[in-house]
Amino acid sequence: GAVVSQHPSRVICKSGTSVKIECRSLDFQATTMFWYRQFPKQSLMLMATSNEGSKATYEQGVEKDKFLINHASLTLSTLTVTSAHPEDSSFYICSASGGAGHEQFFGPGTRLTVL
Amino acid sequence: AQSVAQPEDQVNVAEGNPLTVKCTYSVSGNPYLFWYVQYPNRGLQFLLKYITGDNLVKGSYGFEAEFNKSQTSFHLKKPSALVSDSALYFCAVRTSGNTPLVFGKGTRLSVIA
């Protein structure tokens, strides 16, 4: 299957700082990328859907000004958690799709800890 | 709206015994159904999917799942469980097009030696 990478795999930051997480499709062009969030012992919750070259579509309850998503190329999407707080600590997972009818491939996840 | 139900938080099975992890779904239109496995602090690993065709789908690591339209179920099965199968299993559904996956809450499988 196709490979999706995420960087960093783990990040610890101080409250009030911003953190950027990268999601890359390594061997295919991802027209759509999805960002999920997973709290401990819970399921994945969709945060937003981003299509290359256009603004991301956020799920209800997800603050677009806090979770900035950029999908500037067909192989890279970034999620920036701005002014992070301890409640933003979570496991963030991206998935990438080559388009309608294509399978979604998941990245390995990024564990964010905000102190 | 799409939804997935995994009624069991935890499934315990002895090594060598058959295992079943249950999943039911609700979706408008034809469902695309998936099973993923997650090990601690890791991302999701794809196991299998049903899009169309045979109701019995075979996937990775000896897992299989049966699509039952009348019962709106897609239970995950394996004839003989291994200790290394112990992990968190997620069922997911989406419709056609480029829609995001909707996940169940997950079922933790423990295989005891």
Side-chain angles (χ1 to χ4, degrees):
Chain A
V3 179
V4 175
S5 70
Q6 276 184 246
H7 178 79
S9 57
R10 287 179 181 269
V11 57
I12 301 172
C13 69
K14 292 182 179 180
S15 184
T17 60
S18 295
V19 175
K20 180 184 284 188
I21 302 170
E22 292 185 349
C23 177
R24 293 182 184 273
S25 58
L26 299 185
D27 51 5
F28 69 103
Q29 293 185 326
T31 56
T32 304
M33 288 189 174
F34 305 94
W35 286 95
Y36 294 85
R37 183 175 181 177
Q38 185 182 28
F39 289 105
K41 298 184 179 181
Q42 294 190 27
S43 188
L44 283 76
M45 301 301 295
L46 179 67
M47 298 175 66
T49 301
S50 74
N51 292 298
E52 186 265 339
S54 61
K55 290 184 178 180
T57 301
Y58 290 81
E59 295 299 298
Q60 191 173 10
V62 178
E63 299 176 57
K64 63 179 181 180
D65 294 329
K66 181 168 184 61
F67 298 100
L68 301 178
I69 291 173
N70 183 285
H71 191 168
S73 78
L74 287 171
T75 58
L76 174 65
S77 176
T78 59
L79 167 67
T80 301
V81 183
T82 61
S83 187
H85 291 283
E87 57 265 30
D88 297 326
S89 298
S90 189
F91 196 50
Y92 293 87
I93 302 175
C94 73
S95 73
S97 168
H102 289 246
E103 193 170 319
Q104 294 177 25
F105 298 96
F106 285 82
T110 297
R111 180 155 307 280
L112 169 64
T113 302
V114 184
L115 302 177
Chain B
Q2 300 155 202
S3 66
V4 174
Q6 291 181 245
E8 304 153 316
D9 291 336
Q10 175 93 30
V11 170
N12 298 318
V13 64
E15 186 176 30
N17 283 2
L19 69 87
T20 299
V21 182
K22 295 179 180 178
C23 171
T24 58
Y25 66 91
S26 175
V27 64
S28 299
N30 294 323
Y32 291 10
L33 293 155
F34 301 79
W35 274 102
Y36 291 88
V37 60
Q38 185 180 36
Y39 294 95
N41 294 311
R42 302 288 294 276
L44 300 180
Q45 293 182 33
F46 170 79
L47 283 179
L48 51 79
K49 66 180 177 183
Y50 171 83
I51 304 297
T52 186
D54 289 341
N55 290 341
L56 183 64
V57 179
K58 294 187 183 294
S60 306
Y61 314 119
F63 284 93
E64 59 186 31
E66 186 165 12
F67 171 63
N68 187 317
K69 188 173 183 178
S70 62
Q71 297 184 3
T72 61
S73 67
F74 191 56
H75 301 330
L76 181 70
K77 299 183 179 184
K78 186 173 182 179
S80 178
L82 300 172
V83 173
S84 58
D85 292 329
S86 299
L88 188 57
Y89 290 80
F90 290 101
C91 182
V93 68
R94 68 175 175 89
T95 56
S96 60
N98 209 13
T99 54
L101 289 165
V102 174
F103 287 86
K105 64 179 181 178
T107 299
R108 186 163 300 282
L109 172 68
S110 291
V111 181
I112 304 163

